[in-house]
Amino acid sequence: MNTRPQRLSLSLPKKAIFTLPDAHEVDIECQSGAVWITIDHDRRDIVLNPGDHFRSDSHARALVAALETSCVRFSAKRLSVAVAQEDPRPTASPWRLWLHGMSPA
């Protein structure tokens, strides 16, 4: 069994929003720029700058919004399990990237 973390790196334009349907144990690292993370039913707002990491212990949805042009790396040991639970088709991914504007409210 492969226990290496699976990784996804994204370049996000300013105001892009990336959705993680289940952020449980997904490590989010800001490599450049700045991102704002909001988790469903969590009152915290998390802002990451270059070199900062965040990992959620909640099975809630997380929105990762680019406050400026940013590069973000996501890594998780069990990412493929989360994908399989969301949609049994092997080509489907629950992750979504929205390229329109964002709102702080």
Side-chain angles (χ1 to χ4, degrees), residues 42-55:
D42 188 325
R43 301 187 122 219
R44 296 175 294 168
D45 286 320
I46 299 104
V47 176
L48 302 182
N49 292 299
D52 292 342
H53 291 260
F54 175 76
R55 180 178 285 209

Side-chain angles (χ1 to χ4, degrees), residues 21 83 86-87 89-96:
V83 172
E86 183 71 23
D87 191 332
R89 296 174 294 171
T91 58
S93 172
W95 292 5
R96 301 288 180 259

Side-chain angles (χ1 to χ4, degrees), residues 48-67:
L48 302 182
N49 292 299
D52 292 342
H53 291 260
F54 175 76
R55 180 178 285 209
S56 174
D57 59 358
S58 168
H59 281 284
R61 178 183 69 158
L63 302 177
V64 180
L67 298 173

Side-chain angles (χ1 to χ4, degrees), residues 18-62:
F18 184 74
T19 303
L20 285 167
D22 182 349
H24 185 255
E25 294 187 359
V26 175
D27 185 46
I28 303 169
E29 177 190 358
C30 179
Q31 295 181 308
S32 66
V35 295
W36 170 33
I37 301 170
T38 302
I39 301 170
D40 286 351
H41 311 292
D42 188 325
R43 301 187 122 219
R44 296 175 294 168
D45 286 320
I46 299 104
V47 176
L48 302 182
N49 292 299
D52 292 342
H53 291 260
F54 175 76
R55 180 178 285 209
S56 174
D57 59 358
S58 168
H59 281 284
R61 178 183 69 158

